[in-house]
Amino acid sequence: MKIDFHSHLGDIFKDAYNVIYKQNMVAREMPDAFEVREKRGFKGPFMPENTDQALREFIDINHERSRVNSMENMIRDMDEADVQYADILPIMPALSFEDYEVAHMVESRLLPWTFPDFRLGEDAAKKLIEDSERGAYGLKLHPVLMMKSLDDPLVEACLEGWAQTGKPMTSHCGAGMYYYPEINDDYCTPEFGDLKYFAECARRHPEIPMVAAHCGGTAAGNIERLAGLCEGLDNVYVDTSFRSHEDIELMISLFGRDRVMFGTDYPFGSYKRQVEQVEIATEGDPELRELVFWKNANSLLHVV
């Protein structure tokens, strides 16, 4: 059994191409920093060179992978890696709970989450509770793309409301650019991905299980920094997306075998290679392997 705790379906970026139900979607040939890093065993930076061209190529492949992120492609890749369920995490305004609610009706293995619609103002929290009642498995936050920090008053109101559901929240961690430099500030606030915001939020809301995506981001030292900031918190979990088997072993040692969950950030990470890293990290410990692949996630999602 495998549950992917961190994935997306469809195009999550501003152009929001309607691709969920399209057939035969194939990515165009272009430099693919995700694939190159995976072949290195998820080691080192995504961009080998700190140049404008490398940055633009990385942004291009982000958007290209998202553009062809159809349900057909996702289910095929899940099946090839023997993944039974995947949390699908929307990013407003490109994709909403309603989009994923319908996707779940079409394919029950895809578990819909919700995301705040800040256009509703103070009613955003009420909408999240309604989504939970309609079947949302958790709450997704992405401070960088929603351009609000985790201590923003509207975000706080959403979390106070969400706490009533007893369901988990997961937040993107790590600063990053998603658009070309000349327009990025119109759609992103990279500094809101800093780990301090996540740790402070987890301390303010000990009643909410909170999952730090990518275990704090992929910059060197982020695993250790996240563990230090979250010391003493028993509501903090992490996922394995973009992480090497050495990283996963470190995550287990710092956060505990009951707090690490398999995740891919699909379509940006592949199922096959990320499954391999978890298998290496849990070699010789079948109980730990089951915890990471699905039991820890199931303790929060109650799928199986």
Side-chain angles (χ1 to χ4, degrees):
M1 174 73 70
K2 299 182 187 72
I3 299 175
D4 179 5
F5 202 86
H6 183 162
S7 70
H8 307 278
L9 174 65
D11 183 3
I12 66 172
F13 295 117
K14 68 178 182 66
D15 294 321
Y17 293 109
N18 184 15
V19 301
I20 290 177
Y21 303 104
K22 289 188 176 180
Q23 304 290 308
N24 304 313
M25 298 295 289
V26 179
R28 293 169 292 191
E29 290 290 331
M30 61 176 59
D32 191 335
F34 291 104
E35 184 176 10
V36 170
R37 187 171 181 273
E38 286 193 356
K39 288 181 177 179
R40 297 200 308 264
F42 295 89
K43 296 180 176 69
F46 280 102
M47 296 186 300
E49 298 178 345
N50 186 21
T51 64
D52 182 69
Q53 179 180 347
L55 174 61
R56 290 175 182 270
E57 289 178 351
F58 182 62
I59 291 169
D60 286 343
I61 193 58
N62 265 273
H63 288 256
E64 182 64 11
R65 282 181 173 240
S66 193
R67 187 189 66 82
V68 299
N69 187 21
S70 65
M71 182 182 294
E72 178 185 61
N73 286 343
M74 185 175 191
I75 293 299
R76 179 201 64 223
D77 291 350
M78 288 173 63
D79 287 344
E80 288 179 356
D82 192 30
V83 174
Q84 283 70 37
Y85 296 96
D87 291 336
I88 46 176
L89 312 179
I91 305 289
M92 288 285 288
L95 290 163
S96 67
F97 167 70
E98 285 75 14
D99 293 310
Y100 284 178
E101 181 183 34
V102 174
H104 176 68
M105 294 177 187
V106 176
E107 178 50 75
S108 62
R109 296 164 59 189
L110 304 180
L111 311 178
W113 285 46
T114 187
F115 192 99
D117 186 349
F118 294 112
R119 297 170 297 186
L120 300 175
E122 294 181 356
D123 288 334
K126 179 181 177 182
K127 171 65 164 55
L128 295 178
I129 296 173
E130 293 172 354
D131 291 349
S132 174
E133 293 170 349
R134 288 166 55 183
Y137 281 82
L139 170 64
K140 167 66 174 177
L141 297 176
H142 199 305
V144 175
L145 289 175
M146 68 190 193
M147 302 182 74
K148 292 186 184 297
S149 69
L150 294 180
D151 59 4
D152 182 280
L154 280 179
V155 178
E156 271 293 289
C158 287
L159 288 169
E160 290 171 5
W162 188 255
Q164 302 173 32
T165 71
K167 295 179 180 180
M169 179 275 274
T170 185
S171 177
H172 171 83
C173 293
M177 295 181 65
Y178 294 88
Y179 299 96
Y180 291 157
E182 57 267 26
I183 65 170
N184 193 67
D185 288 350
D186 294 333
Y187 301 101
C188 298
T189 311
E191 58 266 29
F192 287 163
D194 191 281
L195 299 182
K196 67 180 181 182
Y197 292 108
F198 178 88
E200 291 166 357
C201 184
R203 290 191 185 279
R204 288 194 304 272
H205 297 281
E207 73 282 7
I208 302 177
M210 294 193 179
V211 184
H214 325 301
C215 195
T218 58
N222 272 4
I223 297 176
E224 298 90 336
R225 181 171 178 240
L226 179 67
L229 289 170
C230 296
E231 186 175 1
L233 296 177
D234 59 8
N235 64 322
V236 171
Y237 297 74
V238 296
D239 78 49
T240 65
S241 54
F242 300 137
R243 290 299 187 176
S244 68
H245 65 89
E246 294 95 341
D247 286 346
I248 296 170
E249 292 166 10
L250 178 60
M251 291 157 57
I252 293 167
S253 69
L254 292 177
F255 291 92
R257 57 198 286 130
D258 297 326
R259 301 299 173 91
V260 178
M261 298 179 291
F262 169 61
T264 65
D265 201 8
Y266 187 93
F268 311 105
S270 74
Y271 279 108
K272 179 181 178 181
R273 290 198 174 100
Q274 296 195 94
V275 164
E276 289 173 351
Q277 295 302 310
V278 173
E279 289 177 339
I280 295 171
T282 59
E283 185 70 33
D285 192 336
E287 180 183 2
L288 175 61
R289 181 170 291 181
E290 287 199 331
L291 287 171
V292 175
F293 268 136
W294 71 276
K295 286 188 174 180
N296 290 340
N298 193 55
S299 70
L300 301 180
L301 302 173
H302 310 292
V303 179
V304 183

